[in-house]
Amino acid sequence: MLDKTQATDAPYEFGYRKLGPVVADYCARLLAHALSFEREQDGKVLFVARAGVRIRTALEAFAATAEIDLPTRADYLWASRLMVAKGVWRRSRARALQVLGKEFAYAPLKDFVAAMFRHEGLPRDLDLNDPALAQRASNLEAFFASGGPAARAVDQHLVEQSELFDAYIAKLLGDHELALLIDTGWQGTAQSMLDEAFPDVTWWGAYFGRFSTDATDKRGWSRMIGVVTEHGQFDPAWPESCVVLHRHMIEHLFQPTGLSIERLAPGADGVISSPEAASVLLDKVDRENSPMFAGVLDYLAKLPDGVGPAALRARAHTEWRNIARAVVLPSKDDVEVFADITRSADFGRSIEVPLLLPTRNRHRDDSPEARVRDSLWHAGQLALEYPQEIAQPMQRKIAGIGRGDLSEKQKPARKAAREQAGARPKVAIITRTLDRQIFLKRALASVASQTFTDYVHVVVNDGGDNDAARETIEAASVDLDRLLLVDNVVNRGMEAASNIAISSCDSDFIVIHDDDDTWEPTFLEKTVSFLESSRGRHYDGVITRSTYVSESVTPTGIVTHGSGPYNGWVETVHLHEMAVQNFFPPIGFLFRRSRYDAIGGFDERYPVLGDWDFNLRFLSESNIAVLPESLANYHHRDRGDTAIFGNSVIADRHKHLEYSAVVRNNLVRYLSERGRQAEASMIGLGILLGEERDLGRRTVQKLDALVGGGAMPAAQHVGVVHHGSHNADAMWIATQRLAQIIARGDVVALAEVGLASDPRDIRQRVMRILARVVGLARPIFAATDADLSKTPQAIAKLVALHRDPYRAMPPPADFDEIRYLRDNPDVATAITRGELTSGFEHYFYNGRQEGRARPSR
Amino acid sequence: MPEPEIYRFSPISRLLRSAPSRIDLARKSVELREALQAAFDASGADVLSLDVFDTLLLRDNQSEARRFWELSKLIRKELIDSKAHPRAAALSVEDFLLARVEGMRVSYRTRKPVKTCCEGVLDDVTKIARRALGLSASVDKHFIATEIVYEASVLAINDAVLDLARAVKAKGGRVVLVSDMYLRGEHIGAILEKVDSGAAKIVDHIFSSGDLVVSKRAGRIFREIERRLELGPSAFFHIGDSLLGDVSRPREAGWSALHFPVSDAEAQAREADVAAFIDEMHALGLNVSDWAKV
């Protein structure tokens, strides 16, 4: 058993030798920010207590040793996140509810109520044993709308606290219009609440580190400064980013003793502050009670490695590498340093959570794997649970690093901004155009927006007005150095135009960017990078997923009508599948010039479908990979008069039909001529099977049409306004329910609502549309009476499927759930009792008939 | 059937890209002078607007990172020689360098935005750097003066562009300088004066994002210049090396614009220099790859 001194030696040494240098560098950088805000921008520097207390202590120790100025008008902001949520209650109720709701989503309401009154104690007449408070606090809106005694008491408390908070902030800021919050990190939740509640103040934050999650509110992100790191994930080239994997190390270091700041109160002198502030200011930092921070302060008192920025940075860089190794790939010895650390759950809760769990079973079903999952520091728990040879590969996996990634020999790399001068461009982009300046202009912008710039862009004018094409190009905001215009003088056909353009330049890769299509900015970056990667070397071409864009040309310009995945089922590219149909557009296909040369380029005899023939011959000799991101936009004028601006696939349907047979016949001959009869036969069989499979796909498309109520697939209707009528509500319910049925793969329910005659038959098709339907957090579908009239029976059956597990659903975007619950407290009470899932459910099935109003947002 | 014909665009840009040295090309090439004049004449503009750094004033092949280091060395020497602050001698060149880089970072990020643009400015950069080094406000003037002297020493006038500017002035037109730079207009003017006092005399106005905060890069400086000169966009012909700030953005604002790119050889030399610089700093225990640029 270690004695007290021995037990604190390792944390103290870790604090002095490792954290000391990195905190010194942090202090230097933090001071640069704080002084600049105070002196150049007349800002108020606020140390957000509790962590701000220790940060300020460290800053003062550093500044004294380094003989550097400190902010002269700094103050503490006595407020935890909970206090700020309380404080903005009157000004930003919805935001406060959102933050509180997230924290207590899995706790019973009685915990939420108790947390609100942790320090001052519950009001005398409040009974936490009220059965209504046993419900989960997942719907705080309903709780407050119910108007019960607990809700009233909490609401009153929050109103009082927010009144005090207003006065407190006004006093703290005085005439300052800018405030800098100094805290440990990481997502600036308090800052974003203050931003919203006090818009007259410009709120900045200087945090030890800043990183986000999918749920982070990023509206004020650029004003949240990660002084040491802003990496979103661990990057071994920047070892300080290891705090992403172990932020508790920094939080523990700067967390003083004393109570959490969760309320304000006027003092005897009338000054508003937190009654708990005094306990925090008594923070006892010595080797026995806070060995790690004591080590840091001792280092700051000496700064033995120098006081200049370079000396501080170099030592910090060395120590960050050591810390990163200890954090990312800890051994049992490394873990010992953090052995006794516990973290407070905060937010009004009195729970202390150990950083690492004891390596013994907590219950019958416990396991080392479960403890690793449940611990706050996964890599540390792995070190405790497993021998190093087992733990380390798993630790690497968690950090997403390879074997040499934390090597001291690793040198910083810089990606060259441009390729070697004089070298041939990597990519030739071929744009075929014919008197369509409106599209050409858009295509030029699409190419110019690429993040990858080592290309030559060849525009081939296939017999159109060349002066007009030149003028369009010269007026565009493009790098003209990279552009060639090939004037074919007469129309030679699409495939000939491609071949001429390709032969007019040199490159490693080729892509056809037709004048009416567009790319996302990273198309070339991602596709070139793939073909140059070790995996990409096995392929001669790569496609990305594509988006179908429906548009029309009007006198005022191009109008987009909708967009959605184009053949979103594509995951691989099979020759047999290609023989059934040409399922990807040229705009999404980058290929090697060497393969283009080997198969003799495009066959110029085809008036249409030349790209399909090319793809088939390409696949007969090589392979095409698929990148899952949708980076290519395949535009179609598929509405109204398609004669002038129509795509060949729309305007030349009869030619497509005729030549689809020619393309397939030629493929069979191509293979037969090369002695590949077996493959030719397989292709024939593949075509037959493909036709059968297509039948299945068409069935799914019908389902899609039913879901979406229109020509476009269901998933494309996100963002379309809900109409708010009863029919629209019914359609909303039907579509939500259908999505749930599909997500569950509940073929019985699907048959029950009349959407499949044979449940077994539908299963495979259901899986296909699953990806398109699930993942939409709140799909909003266009719904009109006309749509309903097409499929009234299925809609009615879906609406009638009002039972678990299909009862719960989010309300439509235009339904004001909060107002409905506020106006109808009986409904709110029913929700807290678990009798209803939402106000919208009540309105649709009961409230409307009872004459209750449908509140709209 | 007639043979296809191939058109190439922007002969000036291609000429510049293939030049071993733009300074030499601008000094000697009649073709470049004539092409610039023809482009300006064709635009029908009255005002010649010039980017400053790497356009009117051409840089050598040092990377920006290396220039910052050289400047840091000079500032340190100046403070020691002038006995401006006793602490200067105890600080290394790299201390000055990192303090400056932090100053740039803080100033660019935190300066109060104007029309959503954020730009740094030398005065703030200097103050932030000086404080980080523990120096007093009395050294600020040494920092700024040294920067002007140093910049002038590594810049050369672009004779071809200057000739065009003179021709524009001779015909009654105006010449303005437009720079996305942390230097204020007065600093840019001082540098130009040191490089070529004759050139400084023909400049009517200097617009710097260091003063205005709005920038070419963000495209918001052009309207501000039009407003100040009380002219419409068609009156301006702009020349500069940045495709975004000097070509795309002014064209979007309705200005005529001509690209004056850095040559491939120069770009390569700067790339090699910055790579070498990163290695040199790495040997000192400093990872500068997040900010070191060409």
Side-chain angles (χ1 to χ4, degrees), chain A residues 329-330 387-397 403:
Chain A
L329 305 172
Q388 194 172 4
E389 62 271 22
I390 295 174
Q392 210 165 76
M394 293 159 81
Q395 291 165 338
R396 286 187 193 284
K397 196 173 172 186
R403 283 181 66 83

Side-chain angles (χ1 to χ4, degrees), chain A residues 28-30 32-33 35-37 39-41 65-69 177-178 204 210 221-227 230 237-239 307-315 317-318 321 408-422 466 469-470 473-492 500 504, chain B residues 1-15 17 87 90-99 101-103 105-107 109-113 118 123-125 127-135 243 247-249 251-252 259 261-265 267-268 270-271 274-275 278-279 282 284-294:
Chain A
R29 298 165 87 170
L30 178 59
H33 285 89
L35 290 169
S36 177
F37 275 110
R39 299 192 185 174
E40 271 78 71
Q41 303 202 44
T65 312
E67 296 179 25
I68 289 176
D69 287 355
E177 294 174 352
L178 183 150
W204 280 81
R210 184 198 75 172
W221 203 233
S222 62
R223 281 181 282 104
M224 297 173 189
I225 300 165
V227 174
E230 291 189 343
W238 299 98
V307 299
L312 294 169
R313 186 69 49 80
R315 181 68 205 277
H317 187 65
T318 301
R321 202 168 280 287
E408 284 178 21
K409 290 174 187 164
Q410 197 185 41
K411 283 170 68 173
R414 183 176 182 278
K415 197 176 171 186
R418 52 196 292 169
E419 298 295 322
Q420 292 284 306
N466 205 55
R470 281 181 67 172
I473 292 167
E474 282 171 343
S477 295
V478 299
D479 187 353
L480 293 171
D481 274 5
R482 302 179 196 280
L483 222 139
L484 292 181
L485 173 63
V486 178
D487 180 11
N488 272 356
V489 188
V490 296
N491 185 280
R492 296 163 198 263
I500 290 167
S504 71
Chain B
M1 200 177 272
E3 280 296 301
E5 294 175 24
I6 297 176
Y7 293 87
R8 292 178 190 279
F9 297 85
S10 189
I12 295 173
S13 178
R14 279 186 288 120
L15 188 65
R17 280 247 166 91
R87 189 169 175 150
L91 298 163
S92 68
V93 175
E94 288 73 28
D95 285 332
F96 278 85
L97 173 71
L98 290 204
V101 169
E102 196 67 12
R105 204 193 307 257
V106 173
S107 178
R109 178 150 182 188
T110 66
R111 196 175 172 205
K112 192 173 181 180
C118 293
D123 318 36
D124 289 355
V125 172
K127 288 175 193 164
I128 296 163
R130 172 254 294 168
R131 284 188 212 114
L133 293 165
L135 304 176
L243 190 64
V247 182
S248 298
R249 293 289 186 244
R251 282 186 182 168
E252 285 163 15
H259 196 199
V262 173
S263 82
D264 289 344
Q268 251 183 289
R270 292 180 192 179
E271 283 286 355
V274 77
I278 288 171
D279 283 352
H282 180 65
L284 298 175
L286 298 170
N287 185 354
V288 299
S289 62
D290 59 333
W291 60 264
K293 290 194 295 187
V294 293

Side-chain angles (χ1 to χ4, degrees), chain A residues 373-386:
Chain A
R373 189 190 58 221
D374 295 344
S375 75
L376 295 176
W377 179 25
H378 304 316
Q381 192 72 34
L382 278 166
L384 288 179
E385 300 283 356
Y386 299 99

Side-chain angles (χ1 to χ4, degrees), chain A residues 467-653:
Chain A
D467 288 342
R470 281 181 67 172
E471 282 169 19
T472 301
I473 292 167
E474 282 171 343
S477 295
V478 299
D479 187 353
L480 293 171
D481 274 5
R482 302 179 196 280
L483 222 139
L484 292 181
L485 173 63
V486 178
D487 180 11
N488 272 356
V489 188
V490 296
N491 185 280
R492 296 163 198 263
M494 291 170 75
E495 312 318 322
S498 296
N499 287 337
I500 290 167
I502 290 167
S503 66
S504 71
C505 64
D506 198 5
S507 66
D508 294 335
F509 306 111
I510 297 167
V511 58
I512 307 292
H513 185 310
D514 276 330
D515 64 355
D516 57 343
D517 291 332
T518 58
W519 281 327
E520 297 303 311
T522 55
F523 175 85
L524 285 181
E525 183 186 327
K526 300 271 175 76
T527 51
V528 171
S529 170
F530 174 80
L531 285 182
E532 290 191 323
S533 68
S534 53
R535 195 161 78 86
R537 289 196 194 100
H538 302 297
Y539 297 90
D540 277 341
V542 59
I543 61 168
T544 69
R545 291 250 171 97
S546 305
T547 300
Y548 181 106
V549 181
S550 169
E551 65 188 16
S552 59
V553 178
T554 71
T556 54
I558 302 168
V559 175
T560 301
H561 302 294
S563 64
Y566 177 71
N567 289 338
W569 47 266
V570 176
E571 289 175 351
T572 51
V573 181
H574 290 274
L575 173 58
H576 294 83
E577 184 113 32
M578 183 54 72
V580 176
Q581 74 174 112
N582 189 15
F583 55 84
F584 62 78
I587 186 68
F589 181 28
L590 180 86
F591 51 90
R592 295 185 198 278
R593 184 180 280 266
S594 55
R595 180 55 57 197
Y596 166 89
D597 290 337
I599 62 173
F602 291 95
D603 188 333
E604 299 178 7
R605 293 170 298 175
Y606 284 102
V608 293
L609 301 183
D611 53 341
W612 190 11
D613 167 81
F614 179 80
N615 294 343
L616 284 167
R617 285 185 288 118
F618 193 105
L619 284 165
S620 299
E621 305 295 339
S622 188
N623 291 310
I624 298 171
V626 180
L627 299 186
E629 268 186 278
S630 185
L631 300 174
N633 302 312
Y634 190 28
H635 294 252
H636 285 70
R637 269 71 56 206
D638 52 7
R639 296 184 178 207
D641 181 8
T642 57
I644 301 172
F645 292 110
N647 309 62
S648 67
V649 288
I650 306 288
D652 293 336
R653 280 195 202 97

